Amino acid sequence: MKEINIISNLKLSEGVLITFHRGKRVEIPFNLLYSFVLRGIGFYKAQNFDSSTIVGIIGKNNLEWIVADLSAISLGIKSIPLDLNSDISHYQNRHFKINTLLISGDYIEEINRYKSFGYNCILLDDIMHYENSEKELIPYQYTKEEIFSYKATSGSTGIPKIMSHSYGAVLNSVYSIQNMFEHKKNDKILVFLPLNLLQQRYWLYSSILFGYKVIIVPKESLFISIKTKKPFDNLKGY
């Protein structure tokens, strides 16, 4: 049985995203973010990416990361967020292959290093500014059992391995969080831990579905983001 895509509601969502883009704080309603996601979808399609594609994401909590993630979800592309300087060769095998790395332009040296190992590297910024935008969002439909995202971990054994998260489990977690906290339109959720952690991305997906404001910043920009002329009333952090 097919399930609703988490971001199907993006164009109609009343939620708002506050984050950073090219070092500057930006505030953008999700119905305007929609146009950037359409650009990302157009970019991925031009690369022939589809639901069989696995991409690694290396970057900071910012608009580029978010657009790359939401665009991937739109097409059922499987992502695996990675730490800077990850040794990707530990995770590659005949059952699991990372096709491409999506990397922040802040990490030029790392990009060159990964390229020297033969990895296809794409700048995150290029995805959201792609000129040939998709006309409309026709979201991929996941099944509950289908893999939504991957996680790289060494766990308690110290041996690198890959864990997967099913779409059904992610969707259940997002709805469970909303049932627990009952966030409303005037609420503002602050996320400063890395988006590499799926639990942090839950707040992004939840804000799209339930229409509240989410503030996603790298931890080094935390104090800049809250030192504004208009303090964040109803601010909540998890």
Side-chain angles (χ1 to χ4, degrees), residues 8-39:
S8 296
N9 192 43
L10 187 63
K11 188 177 182 179
L12 300 177
S13 176
E14 296 182 350
V16 176
L17 170 68
I18 294 177
T19 187
F20 280 77
H21 177 49
R22 295 177 176 174
K24 295 183 178 180
R25 181 181 177 276
V26 294
E27 181 169 342
I28 180 170
F30 284 123
N31 57 8
L32 295 181
L33 185 68
Y34 177 80
S35 63
F36 287 109
V37 172
L38 291 179
R39 289 172 180 262

mmCIF file of all heavy atoms in Angstrom, residues 8-39:
data_model
loop_
_atom_site.group_PDB
_atom_site.id
_atom_site.type_symbol
_atom_site.label_atom_id
_atom_site.label_comp_id
_atom_site.label_asym_id
_atom_site.label_seq_id
_atom_site.Cartn_x
_atom_site.Cartn_y
_atom_site.Cartn_z
ATOM 1 N N SER A 8 4.232 16.205 0.430
ATOM 2 C CA SER A 8 3.139 16.454 -0.518
ATOM 3 C C SER A 8 2.463 17.792 -0.256
ATOM 4 O O SER A 8 1.939 18.438 -1.166
ATOM 5 C CB SER A 8 2.100 15.334 -0.444
ATOM 6 O OG SER A 8 2.647 14.106 -0.840
ATOM 7 N N ASN A 9 2.462 18.200 1.012
ATOM 8 C CA ASN A 9 1.762 19.413 1.432
ATOM 9 C C ASN A 9 2.627 20.672 1.318
ATOM 10 O O ASN A 9 2.220 21.749 1.742
ATOM 11 C CB ASN A 9 1.297 19.253 2.893
ATOM 12 C CG ASN A 9 0.318 20.326 3.312
ATOM 13 O OD1 ASN A 9 -0.590 20.669 2.564
ATOM 14 N ND2 ASN A 9 0.503 20.882 4.504
ATOM 15 N N LEU A 10 3.817 20.565 0.740
ATOM 16 C CA LEU A 10 4.777 21.673 0.769
ATOM 17 C C LEU A 10 4.195 22.967 0.207
ATOM 18 O O LEU A 10 4.333 24.039 0.806
ATOM 19 C CB LEU A 10 6.036 21.286 -0.008
ATOM 20 C CG LEU A 10 7.205 22.270 0.057
ATOM 21 C CD1 LEU A 10 7.723 22.395 1.486
ATOM 22 C CD2 LEU A 10 8.340 21.820 -0.860
ATOM 23 N N LYS A 11 3.549 22.899 -0.945
ATOM 24 C CA LYS A 11 3.039 24.104 -1.613
ATOM 25 C C LYS A 11 1.944 24.787 -0.804
ATOM 26 O O LYS A 11 1.797 26.013 -0.846
ATOM 27 C CB LYS A 11 2.531 23.749 -3.007
ATOM 28 C CG LYS A 11 2.159 24.960 -3.855
ATOM 29 C CD LYS A 11 1.735 24.543 -5.250
ATOM 30 C CE LYS A 11 1.417 25.755 -6.112
ATOM 31 N NZ LYS A 11 1.020 25.347 -7.494
ATOM 32 N N LEU A 12 1.161 24.024 -0.063
ATOM 33 C CA LEU A 12 0.031 24.568 0.695
ATOM 34 C C LEU A 12 0.347 24.760 2.173
ATOM 35 O O LEU A 12 -0.478 25.301 2.920
ATOM 36 C CB LEU A 12 -1.185 23.644 0.557
ATOM 37 C CG LEU A 12 -1.702 23.419 -0.877
ATOM 38 C CD1 LEU A 12 -2.847 22.427 -0.868
ATOM 39 C CD2 LEU A 12 -2.128 24.733 -1.517
ATOM 40 N N SER A 13 1.533 24.341 2.595
ATOM 41 C CA SER A 13 1.886 24.425 4.016
ATOM 42 C C SER A 13 1.926 25.872 4.493
ATOM 43 O O SER A 13 2.388 26.770 3.789
ATOM 44 C CB SER A 13 3.259 23.774 4.257
ATOM 45 O OG SER A 13 3.653 23.932 5.617
ATOM 46 N N GLU A 14 1.432 26.098 5.708
ATOM 47 C CA GLU A 14 1.495 27.417 6.324
ATOM 48 C C GLU A 14 2.757 27.587 7.169
ATOM 49 O O GLU A 14 2.958 28.618 7.796
ATOM 50 C CB GLU A 14 0.259 27.643 7.200
ATOM 51 C CG GLU A 14 -1.043 27.671 6.400
ATOM 52 C CD GLU A 14 -2.253 27.944 7.279
ATOM 53 O OE1 GLU A 14 -2.105 27.930 8.527
ATOM 54 O OE2 GLU A 14 -3.342 28.183 6.726
ATOM 55 N N GLY A 15 3.605 26.562 7.163
ATOM 56 C CA GLY A 15 4.832 26.620 7.943
ATOM 57 C C GLY A 15 5.860 27.567 7.346
ATOM 58 O O GLY A 15 5.776 27.965 6.178
ATOM 59 N N VAL A 16 6.837 27.916 8.170
ATOM 60 C CA VAL A 16 7.897 28.848 7.764
ATOM 61 C C VAL A 16 9.242 28.283 8.208
ATOM 62 O O VAL A 16 9.359 27.722 9.303
ATOM 63 C CB VAL A 16 7.690 30.243 8.394
ATOM 64 C CG1 VAL A 16 8.846 31.186 8.044
ATOM 65 C CG2 VAL A 16 6.361 30.843 7.932
ATOM 66 N N LEU A 17 10.233 28.442 7.369
ATOM 67 C CA LEU A 17 11.600 27.998 7.669
ATOM 68 C C LEU A 17 12.495 29.206 7.881
ATOM 69 O O LEU A 17 12.506 30.139 7.074
ATOM 70 C CB LEU A 17 12.138 27.160 6.504
ATOM 71 C CG LEU A 17 13.633 26.816 6.528
ATOM 72 C CD1 LEU A 17 13.950 25.854 7.680
ATOM 73 C CD2 LEU A 17 14.066 26.207 5.197
ATOM 74 N N ILE A 18 13.239 29.201 8.977
ATOM 75 C CA ILE A 18 14.310 30.178 9.200
ATOM 76 C C ILE A 18 15.618 29.406 9.223
ATOM 77 O O ILE A 18 15.750 28.423 9.956
ATOM 78 C CB ILE A 18 14.130 30.945 10.522
ATOM 79 C CG1 ILE A 18 12.875 31.819 10.470
ATOM 80 C CG2 ILE A 18 15.356 31.813 10.812
ATOM 81 C CD1 ILE A 18 12.598 32.559 11.768
ATOM 82 N N THR A 19 16.566 29.819 8.412
ATOM 83 C CA THR A 19 17.844 29.115 8.351
ATOM 84 C C THR A 19 18.894 30.062 7.793
ATOM 85 O O THR A 19 18.703 31.286 7.777
ATOM 86 C CB THR A 19 17.700 27.829 7.501
ATOM 87 O OG1 THR A 19 18.900 27.070 7.590
ATOM 88 C CG2 THR A 19 17.383 28.135 6.051
ATOM 89 N N PHE A 20 20.015 29.509 7.314
ATOM 90 C CA PHE A 20 21.079 30.319 6.732
ATOM 91 C C PHE A 20 21.318 29.902 5.284
ATOM 92 O O PHE A 20 21.193 28.726 4.934
ATOM 93 C CB PHE A 20 22.375 30.164 7.537
ATOM 94 C CG PHE A 20 22.409 30.999 8.790
ATOM 95 C CD1 PHE A 20 21.702 30.610 9.919
ATOM 96 C CD2 PHE A 20 23.130 32.184 8.836
ATOM 97 C CE1 PHE A 20 21.714 31.378 11.065
ATOM 98 C CE2 PHE A 20 23.145 32.964 9.980
ATOM 99 C CZ PHE A 20 22.441 32.559 11.104
ATOM 100 N N HIS A 21 21.626 30.890 4.445
ATOM 101 C CA HIS A 21 21.989 30.632 3.053
ATOM 102 C C HIS A 21 23.146 31.544 2.682
ATOM 103 O O HIS A 21 23.048 32.762 2.805
ATOM 104 C CB HIS A 21 20.796 30.889 2.126
ATOM 105 C CG HIS A 21 21.101 30.720 0.670
ATOM 106 N ND1 HIS A 21 21.758 29.604 0.191
ATOM 107 C CD2 HIS A 21 20.848 31.512 -0.405
ATOM 108 C CE1 HIS A 21 21.889 29.719 -1.125
ATOM 109 N NE2 HIS A 21 21.355 30.864 -1.505
ATOM 110 N N ARG A 22 24.257 30.935 2.271
ATOM 111 C CA ARG A 22 25.477 31.674 1.928
ATOM 112 C C ARG A 22 25.889 32.620 3.052
ATOM 113 O O ARG A 22 26.295 33.753 2.836
ATOM 114 C CB ARG A 22 25.277 32.449 0.619
ATOM 115 C CG ARG A 22 25.071 31.527 -0.594
ATOM 116 C CD ARG A 22 24.809 32.300 -1.860
ATOM 117 N NE ARG A 22 24.716 31.390 -3.004
ATOM 118 C CZ ARG A 22 24.368 31.768 -4.236
ATOM 119 N NH1 ARG A 22 24.078 33.043 -4.479
ATOM 120 N NH2 ARG A 22 24.305 30.882 -5.214
ATOM 121 N N GLY A 23 25.741 32.106 4.281
ATOM 122 C CA GLY A 23 26.201 32.839 5.457
ATOM 123 C C GLY A 23 25.237 33.870 5.998
ATOM 124 O O GLY A 23 25.533 34.530 6.997
ATOM 125 N N LYS A 24 24.056 34.031 5.372
ATOM 126 C CA LYS A 24 23.102 35.031 5.821
ATOM 127 C C LYS A 24 21.809 34.359 6.287
ATOM 128 O O LYS A 24 21.368 33.371 5.722
ATOM 129 C CB LYS A 24 22.783 36.017 4.705
ATOM 130 C CG LYS A 24 23.971 36.866 4.282
ATOM 131 C CD LYS A 24 23.579 37.881 3.223
ATOM 132 C CE LYS A 24 24.762 38.760 2.832
ATOM 133 N NZ LYS A 24 24.382 39.759 1.791
ATOM 134 N N ARG A 25 21.219 34.947 7.313
ATOM 135 C CA ARG A 25 19.970 34.426 7.863
ATOM 136 C C ARG A 25 18.835 34.714 6.887
ATOM 137 O O ARG A 25 18.688 35.825 6.390
ATOM 138 C CB ARG A 25 19.689 35.094 9.208
ATOM 139 C CG ARG A 25 18.426 34.643 9.925
ATOM 140 C CD ARG A 25 18.277 35.422 11.234
ATOM 141 N NE ARG A 25 17.053 35.086 11.934
ATOM 142 C CZ ARG A 25 15.873 35.625 11.682
ATOM 143 N NH1 ARG A 25 15.761 36.541 10.736
ATOM 144 N NH2 ARG A 25 14.808 35.282 12.382
ATOM 145 N N VAL A 26 18.022 33.695 6.598
ATOM 146 C CA VAL A 26 16.884 33.869 5.691
ATOM 147 C C VAL A 26 15.632 33.295 6.338
ATOM 148 O O VAL A 26 15.688 32.340 7.112
ATOM 149 C CB VAL A 26 17.118 33.184 4.321
ATOM 150 C CG1 VAL A 26 18.254 33.854 3.572
ATOM 151 C CG2 VAL A 26 17.399 31.693 4.487
ATOM 152 N N GLU A 27 14.506 33.901 6.028
ATOM 153 C CA GLU A 27 13.205 33.410 6.480
ATOM 154 C C GLU A 27 12.348 33.195 5.246
ATOM 155 O O GLU A 27 12.137 34.116 4.455
ATOM 156 C CB GLU A 27 12.549 34.416 7.426
ATOM 157 C CG GLU A 27 11.209 33.958 7.958
ATOM 158 C CD GLU A 27 10.693 34.826 9.099
ATOM 159 O OE1 GLU A 27 11.502 35.555 9.710
ATOM 160 O OE2 GLU A 27 9.474 34.753 9.393
ATOM 161 N N ILE A 28 11.859 31.976 5.054
ATOM 162 C CA ILE A 28 11.150 31.636 3.833
ATOM 163 C C ILE A 28 9.967 30.713 4.130
ATOM 164 O O ILE A 28 10.144 29.658 4.726
ATOM 165 C CB ILE A 28 12.111 30.991 2.799
ATOM 166 C CG1 ILE A 28 11.382 30.629 1.510
ATOM 167 C CG2 ILE A 28 12.836 29.791 3.384
ATOM 168 C CD1 ILE A 28 12.332 30.229 0.397
ATOM 169 N N PRO A 29 8.765 31.127 3.755
ATOM 170 C CA PRO A 29 7.601 30.237 3.920
ATOM 171 C C PRO A 29 7.771 28.990 3.049
ATOM 172 O O PRO A 29 8.394 29.050 1.982
ATOM 173 C CB PRO A 29 6.425 31.091 3.426
ATOM 174 C CG PRO A 29 6.923 32.500 3.449
ATOM 175 C CD PRO A 29 8.389 32.435 3.190
ATOM 176 N N PHE A 30 7.219 27.886 3.493
ATOM 177 C CA PHE A 30 7.377 26.658 2.729
ATOM 178 C C PHE A 30 6.734 26.739 1.350
ATOM 179 O O PHE A 30 7.195 26.097 0.407
ATOM 180 C CB PHE A 30 6.802 25.471 3.509
ATOM 181 C CG PHE A 30 7.683 25.016 4.628
ATOM 182 C CD1 PHE A 30 7.216 24.969 5.927
ATOM 183 C CD2 PHE A 30 8.998 24.632 4.380
ATOM 184 C CE1 PHE A 30 8.037 24.552 6.963
ATOM 185 C CE2 PHE A 30 9.827 24.215 5.409
ATOM 186 C CZ PHE A 30 9.342 24.174 6.704
ATOM 187 N N ASN A 31 5.677 27.555 1.201
ATOM 188 C CA ASN A 31 5.058 27.645 -0.120
ATOM 189 C C ASN A 31 5.962 28.383 -1.117
ATOM 190 O O ASN A 31 5.788 28.250 -2.328
ATOM 191 C CB ASN A 31 3.669 28.300 -0.048
ATOM 192 C CG ASN A 31 3.684 29.684 0.577
ATOM 193 O OD1 ASN A 31 4.736 30.258 0.834
ATOM 194 N ND2 ASN A 31 2.503 30.209 0.834
ATOM 195 N N LEU A 32 6.956 29.133 -0.609
ATOM 196 C CA LEU A 32 7.957 29.738 -1.488
ATOM 197 C C LEU A 32 9.171 28.817 -1.651
ATOM 198 O O LEU A 32 9.810 28.804 -2.703
ATOM 199 C CB LEU A 32 8.391 31.101 -0.941
ATOM 200 C CG LEU A 32 7.315 32.192 -0.907
ATOM 201 C CD1 LEU A 32 7.895 33.502 -0.370
ATOM 202 C CD2 LEU A 32 6.714 32.418 -2.297
ATOM 203 N N LEU A 33 9.461 28.051 -0.626
ATOM 204 C CA LEU A 33 10.532 27.056 -0.721
ATOM 205 C C LEU A 33 10.207 26.031 -1.808
ATOM 206 O O LEU A 33 11.100 25.431 -2.414
ATOM 207 C CB LEU A 33 10.718 26.361 0.630
ATOM 208 C CG LEU A 33 11.875 25.365 0.750
ATOM 209 C CD1 LEU A 33 13.210 26.097 0.669
ATOM 210 C CD2 LEU A 33 11.786 24.584 2.052
ATOM 211 N N TYR A 34 8.944 25.860 -2.055
ATOM 212 C CA TYR A 34 8.453 24.935 -3.075
ATOM 213 C C TYR A 34 9.175 25.137 -4.407
ATOM 214 O O TYR A 34 9.547 24.170 -5.079
ATOM 215 C CB TYR A 34 6.949 25.165 -3.232
ATOM 216 C CG TYR A 34 6.251 24.349 -4.296
ATOM 217 C CD1 TYR A 34 5.893 23.022 -4.055
ATOM 218 C CD2 TYR A 34 5.918 24.907 -5.528
ATOM 219 C CE1 TYR A 34 5.220 22.277 -5.018
ATOM 220 C CE2 TYR A 34 5.249 24.165 -6.494
ATOM 221 C CZ TYR A 34 4.904 22.860 -6.234
ATOM 222 O OH TYR A 34 4.250 22.123 -7.195
ATOM 223 N N SER A 35 9.395 26.405 -4.798
ATOM 224 C CA SER A 35 10.033 26.681 -6.091
ATOM 225 C C SER A 35 11.476 26.183 -6.129
ATOM 226 O O SER A 35 11.958 25.725 -7.170
ATOM 227 C CB SER A 35 9.981 28.179 -6.409
ATOM 228 O OG SER A 35 10.712 28.928 -5.456
ATOM 229 N N PHE A 36 12.168 26.260 -4.989
ATOM 230 C CA PHE A 36 13.543 25.761 -4.932
ATOM 231 C C PHE A 36 13.569 24.232 -5.012
ATOM 232 O O PHE A 36 14.467 23.648 -5.623
ATOM 233 C CB PHE A 36 14.234 26.232 -3.658
ATOM 234 C CG PHE A 36 14.594 27.685 -3.655
ATOM 235 C CD1 PHE A 36 13.930 28.592 -2.856
ATOM 236 C CD2 PHE A 36 15.613 28.162 -4.477
ATOM 237 C CE1 PHE A 36 14.256 29.933 -2.859
ATOM 238 C CE2 PHE A 36 15.960 29.507 -4.486
ATOM 239 C CZ PHE A 36 15.272 30.397 -3.678
ATOM 240 N N VAL A 37 12.583 23.608 -4.391
ATOM 241 C CA VAL A 37 12.502 22.148 -4.450
ATOM 242 C C VAL A 37 12.230 21.690 -5.883
ATOM 243 O O VAL A 37 12.788 20.683 -6.335
ATOM 244 C CB VAL A 37 11.426 21.627 -3.476
ATOM 245 C CG1 VAL A 37 11.184 20.133 -3.672
ATOM 246 C CG2 VAL A 37 11.843 21.895 -2.030
ATOM 247 N N LEU A 38 11.408 22.433 -6.613
ATOM 248 C CA LEU A 38 11.173 22.107 -8.021
ATOM 249 C C LEU A 38 12.472 22.193 -8.825
ATOM 250 O O LEU A 38 12.713 21.388 -9.733
ATOM 251 C CB LEU A 38 10.121 23.040 -8.624
ATOM 252 C CG LEU A 38 8.683 22.876 -8.130
ATOM 253 C CD1 LEU A 38 7.775 23.887 -8.818
ATOM 254 C CD2 LEU A 38 8.178 21.463 -8.359
ATOM 255 N N ARG A 39 13.315 23.151 -8.493
ATOM 256 C CA ARG A 39 14.627 23.256 -9.149
ATOM 257 C C ARG A 39 15.480 22.033 -8.811
ATOM 258 O O ARG A 39 16.161 21.471 -9.671
ATOM 259 C CB ARG A 39 15.346 24.531 -8.705
ATOM 260 C CG ARG A 39 14.740 25.820 -9.253
ATOM 261 C CD ARG A 39 15.390 27.030 -8.611
ATOM 262 N NE ARG A 39 14.823 28.272 -9.115
ATOM 263 C CZ ARG A 39 15.363 29.017 -10.067
ATOM 264 N NH1 ARG A 39 16.506 28.645 -10.621
ATOM 265 N NH2 ARG A 39 14.790 30.141 -10.478
#
